[in-house]
Amino acid sequence: MLEGYIPIFIIIFISAAFAFLNINLSSLLGPNRPNKEKLSTYESGMEPIGTAHDRFSIKYYMVAVSFIVFDIEVVFLYPWAVSFLNFPKPEMIYSFVIGLIFIVVLAVGLIYEYKKGVLKWD
Amino acid sequence: MPEWLIELLITFAKIAVVHGVLLTAVAYTVYLERRVSAFIQNRIGPNRVGPEGLLQPLADVIKLLMKEDIVPERANRFVHALAPGISIIVALSTIAVVPFGDTIELFGRQIKLQIADVNVGILYIFALLSLGVYGITLSGWASNSKYSLLGGLRSSAQMISYELSMGLSVIGVIIISGTLQLDEIVYAQYGWKWNIILQPVGFIIFLVASFAETNRLPFDLPEAEQELVGGYHTEYSSMKFALFFLAEYAAIIVSSAVIATLYLGGWQFPYLQDFGLPQIVTSILQVLTFSVKVVALVFFFIWIRWTIPRFRYDQLMDLGWKVMLPIALANLLVTALVVLLLK
């Protein structure tokens, strides 16, 4: 079954070749007349103050951490969803209850985050 | 010739055709967007290059290729060049698992109109979607400009937030069809059993999340011109800049193709197989059906962009986490319950 993935590797390789070609094409075809103003960082015409590699709002981290938790849970739901239809009735009821518990745990986590104000932007 | 070599050549031919069509479609989607936006705003739009401006995309590409490639001296040169590459690789590779027609018989061979028929099709799409975040985030970081950084951060937070509801809304479709394989999902939508009818809520969530994933209005906060100049591509010029645009429009087309496959019956035209047409005509009509669905969705993307104003950032995050995510969870449970009761 793994040979089904060969076309995927080929298409990724071709896309990468296309990207590499295009990234380098402009520096070959275009003019190259750098000067100090042109190469400075854009900041609405002002002299750039400091660097952008600085601290930024914690809220982005919070979103990223919540995302990791929920995304893993979403991925765990996929195999459950694929096999759900193919179960006979008694197993299906069992499977549904299991899925329900899983989703309730997920929802409780979401409500907890909501109440804690993690998802609040102002 | 050995069998595997023929298979390999067929794969190369399919990739060449699909990439050719996709890149042409991208060029003309940009043109379409400019003409449609002009039409909506009571302007004319580009109409000088060629008849009705049809050669405009070509002129744009040549212009962008001939522009100077500027890399700010404080930028990280390697990552600055890598970021547009990631974006375009993701946008061009996602199409691999999308079936654009039924199996077709050509030169005595059965050819599947799908580049890679893997049994985890949906997972592959989501894996690549997640990688797409890197292109934008890294471009924002590597430019070392405040506007770029803010654009990149906003974009990554927005994309990962909506990816959750997107992933959850698709589970409804998976429960109904019992597979992750995209061609099986299309077969399951035979006749009028389109998933848009069986999964209306899931469809709406998926559609809205697609807008957010492709950074299109009303979710184009990452490149909100009034606040962030150009957002993550402020410091990009020439073909690197063009690659971001290519990636954005390719993402729109691929998203439309995925939506059409998952919810609008893919290449199925209701009961076309039963009309008794010759097999080759049926196949061509199916590919045409798929193209019409995709073009209609692309037009819908453009139409929305020029109709609805931009969200505020807190509204955007609230919508993603407090509205779409709970609805997607409820939709998933209701779907499972209905499947259980109908058994």
Side-chain angles (χ1 to χ4, degrees):
Chain A
M1 200 54 211
L2 275 178
E3 65 265 19
Y5 290 90
I6 294 171
I8 287 183
F9 289 120
I10 297 175
I11 198 170
I12 289 176
F13 180 77
I14 291 178
S15 309
F18 177 82
F20 182 80
L21 183 77
N22 276 298
I23 287 170
N24 292 303
L25 212 55
S26 271
S27 45
L28 294 177
L29 292 176
N32 186 20
R33 288 186 286 272
N35 63 51
K36 200 167 177 304
E37 271 71 42
K38 199 188 270 176
L39 292 183
S40 71
T41 308
Y42 178 74
E43 206 157 301
S44 304
M46 311 287 283
E47 294 280 328
I49 301 169
T51 155
H53 293 172
D54 206 351
R55 291 182 291 178
F56 50 85
S57 174
I58 182 107
K59 287 178 286 190
Y60 294 106
Y61 285 112
M62 304 297 265
V63 169
V65 170
S66 325
F67 164 75
I68 289 175
V69 175
F70 284 102
D71 202 40
I72 290 172
E73 287 177 315
V74 170
V75 172
F76 276 134
L77 280 170
Y78 274 54
W80 173 79
V82 172
S83 42
F84 192 74
L85 191 69
N86 307 319
F87 283 136
K89 184 121 189 186
E91 273 89 349
M92 203 185 230
I93 296 171
Y94 175 72
S95 166
F96 179 75
V97 173
I98 296 288
L100 188 66
I101 294 170
F102 191 82
I103 292 165
V104 166
V105 171
L106 216 153
V108 168
L110 185 65
I111 294 166
Y112 176 74
E113 279 202 328
Y114 186 25
K115 291 288 176 203
K116 276 279 179 185
V118 174
L119 308 173
K120 216 169 108 191
W121 290 75
D122 38 26
Chain B
M1 268 198 290
E3 189 63 21
W4 61 269
L5 193 64
I6 300 175
E7 287 295 326
L8 202 63
L9 286 178
I10 290 174
T11 303
F12 271 109
K14 279 195 277 195
I15 294 175
V17 170
V18 169
H19 271 181
V21 170
L22 185 63
L23 289 172
T24 317
V26 165
Y28 279 94
T29 308
V30 178
Y31 169 75
L32 184 74
E33 168 129 49
R34 292 171 72 178
R35 285 312 291 255
V36 170
S37 64
F39 174 68
I40 288 174
Q41 298 175 333
N42 204 7
R43 297 182 282 118
I44 295 171
N47 68 343
R48 283 287 180 270
V49 191
E52 283 297 311
L54 276 171
L55 295 177
Q56 184 71 38
L58 201 66
D60 287 344
V61 168
I62 294 171
K63 185 196 81 174
L64 282 160
L65 270 175
M66 296 299 178
K67 286 288 175 186
E68 183 175 359
D69 184 28
I70 304 167
V71 183
E73 56 185 352
R74 286 160 76 188
N76 182 322
R77 289 193 76 90
F78 175 69
V79 183
H80 188 266
L82 181 71
I86 294 176
S87 287
I88 194 72
I89 290 171
V90 167
L92 289 182
S93 307
T94 319
I95 198 83
V97 290
V98 177
F100 40 92
D102 202 356
T103 308
I104 190 173
E105 202 179 314
L106 271 183
F107 313 117
R109 294 186 69 87
Q110 295 290 330
I111 295 173
K112 213 176 176 75
L113 292 183
Q114 182 184 20
I115 293 171
D117 182 24
V118 291
N119 53 6
V120 291
I122 293 181
L123 267 183
Y124 172 78
I125 291 173
F126 280 103
L128 282 190
L129 267 180
S130 313
L131 284 179
V133 180
Y134 284 98
I136 289 171
T137 314
L138 287 179
S139 68
W141 178 83
S143 302
N144 204 350
S145 156
K146 281 150 202 157
Y147 300 114
S148 306
L149 182 75
L150 284 172
L153 281 177
R154 280 185 178 189
S155 172
S156 51
Q158 165 186 334
M159 284 170 90
I160 59 180
S161 300
Y162 281 81
E163 209 178 292
L164 287 179
S165 355
M166 206 174 190
L168 280 172
S169 63
V170 168
I171 293 179
V173 173
I174 301 172
I175 290 176
I176 290 176
S177 31
T179 176
L180 288 170
Q181 234 167 316
L182 286 167
D183 57 335
E184 295 289 331
I185 290 175
V186 173
Y187 287 127
Q189 301 179 64
Y190 178 77
W192 279 111
K193 284 194 299 177
W194 289 7
N195 283 329
I196 185 175
I197 297 165
L198 302 172
Q199 280 281 312
V201 180
F203 171 72
I204 292 169
I205 293 172
F206 195 89
L207 191 69
V208 174
S210 309
F211 277 91
E213 288 288 321
T214 47
N215 293 321
R216 294 282 293 180
L217 264 167
F219 301 103
D220 77 333
L221 273 300
E223 38 191 304
E225 299 91 344
Q226 294 89 337
E227 312 159 30
L228 295 179
V229 192
Y232 56 88
H233 50 57
T234 304
E235 296 288 1
Y236 280 88
S237 63
S238 75
M239 208 57 199
K240 285 182 195 160
F241 170 79
L243 282 184
F244 278 120
F245 257 74
L246 259 167
E248 188 185 321
Y249 282 90
I252 293 169
I253 293 169
V254 173
S255 297
S256 304
V258 172
I259 294 171
T261 306
L262 290 177
Y263 289 97
L264 302 179
W267 40 260
Q268 302 251 28
F269 186 87
Y271 306 112
L272 185 69
Q273 290 96 321
D274 307 338
F275 287 177
L277 294 166
Q279 207 229 339
I280 189 82
V281 179
T282 310
S283 301
I284 292 169
L285 281 178
Q286 280 168 338
V287 175
L288 272 180
T289 310
F290 183 67
S291 317
V292 168
K293 284 172 184 171
V294 172
V295 170
L297 279 166
V298 168
F299 182 78
F300 183 69
F301 266 82
I302 295 172
W303 186 10
I304 291 287
R305 172 169 178 184
W306 296 96
T307 309
I308 296 178
R310 186 179 297 133
F311 277 114
R312 223 167 52 216
Y313 200 69
D314 60 322
Q315 294 172 329
L316 172 100
M317 297 306 271
D318 277 2
L319 182 70
W321 286 91
K322 296 175 188 167
V323 181
M324 304 247 297
L325 193 55
I327 292 179
L329 277 175
N331 176 54
L332 151 67
L333 272 181
V334 170
T335 308
L337 192 63
V338 170
V339 168
L340 179 67
L341 292 178
L342 288 181
K343 181 93 173 177

